[in-house]
């Protein structure tokens, strides 16, 4: 079992090297000739590479299958570093934006409550003080002589 796994890994490495020489594109015959492997092994290996790396099949004008891979041979499911950094920065920005909105709403709510309380306190003091700005009532009777 272990010998077969090592042999498969070696074949895949040979196929990748052959595809690199072909700039990531080639028919079954092209890849078999470049890798020096039997066409059946190349067919199975290319199918395995299509499942594990970014690539697709095309059909030539003569009806042959053309295996086309990204020249960098990026594994499926992996993302470039720049994309991962951008996605992480987006998550951080969204989180910071949500936190800022929450803080602003809490501060506005507290300010509104404080203004309502201040208005109620000012209104109650106004009723107790008799309505004059000075706070003392003037006697409107005529002065005694």
């Amino acid at each position: 079992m272990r010998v077969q796994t090592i042999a498969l890994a070696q074949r895949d490495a040979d196929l990748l090297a052959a595809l690199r020489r072909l700039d990531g594109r080639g028919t079954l015959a092209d890849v078999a000739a470049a890798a020096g492997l039997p066409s059946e092994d190349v067919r199975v290996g290319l199918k395995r590479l299509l499942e594990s790396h970014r690539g697709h099949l095309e059909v030539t004008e003569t009806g042959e299958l053309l295996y086309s891979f990204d020249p960098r041979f990026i594994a499926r499911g992996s993302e470039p570093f720049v994309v991962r950094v951008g996605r992480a920065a987006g998550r951080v920005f969204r989180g910071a934006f949500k936190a800022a909105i929450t803080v602003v709403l809490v501060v506005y709510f507290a300010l509104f409550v404080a203004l309502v309380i201040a208005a109620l306190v000012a209104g109650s003091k106004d009723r107790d003080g008799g309505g004059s700005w000075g706070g003392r009532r003037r006697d409107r009777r005529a002065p005694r002589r």
Side-chain angles (χ1 to χ4, degrees):
M1 180 76 167
R2 184 176 164 107
V3 174
Q4 286 179 334
T5 306
I6 294 172
L8 285 175
Q10 182 60 40
R11 270 190 235 135
D12 287 349
D14 292 341
L15 286 176
L16 284 173
L19 283 167
R20 280 191 182 95
R21 285 192 296 271
L22 296 170
D23 293 327
R25 295 175 56 106
T27 63
L28 180 66
D30 295 336
V31 177
L37 295 171
S39 62
E40 188 56 37
D41 290 346
V42 172
R43 183 185 331 269
V44 171
L46 286 173
K47 183 179 177 186
R48 213 173 26 254
L49 285 176
L50 278 174
E51 293 171 356
S52 64
H53 290 74
R54 291 185 187 170
H56 60 277
L57 287 174
E58 299 174 14
V59 179
T60 63
E61 294 173 0
T62 60
E64 289 184 289
L65 290 177
L66 180 67
Y67 293 86
S68 181
F69 290 93
D70 185 345
R72 293 173 291 168
F73 292 100
I74 299 172
R76 287 195 187 276
S78 68
E79 295 177 318
F81 178 72
V82 174
V83 173
R84 287 183 295 186
V85 168
R87 186 169 292 134
R91 282 193 302 264
V92 168
F93 178 74
R94 280 190 301 275
F97 190 74
K98 288 177 183 179
I101 288 174
T102 303
V103 167
V104 167
L105 288 175
V106 168
V107 167
Y108 278 157
F109 178 75
L111 183 64
F112 181 74
V113 168
L115 287 174
V116 168
I117 291 172
L120 290 174
V121 168
S124 69
K125 282 186 179 179
D126 190 34
R127 279 188 227 117
D128 293 342
S132 67
W133 287 99
R136 292 187 305 171
R137 291 184 67 140
R138 277 194 193 163
D139 195 10
R140 293 190 181 224
R141 287 184 269 160
R144 288 188 186 170
R145 294 191 183 182

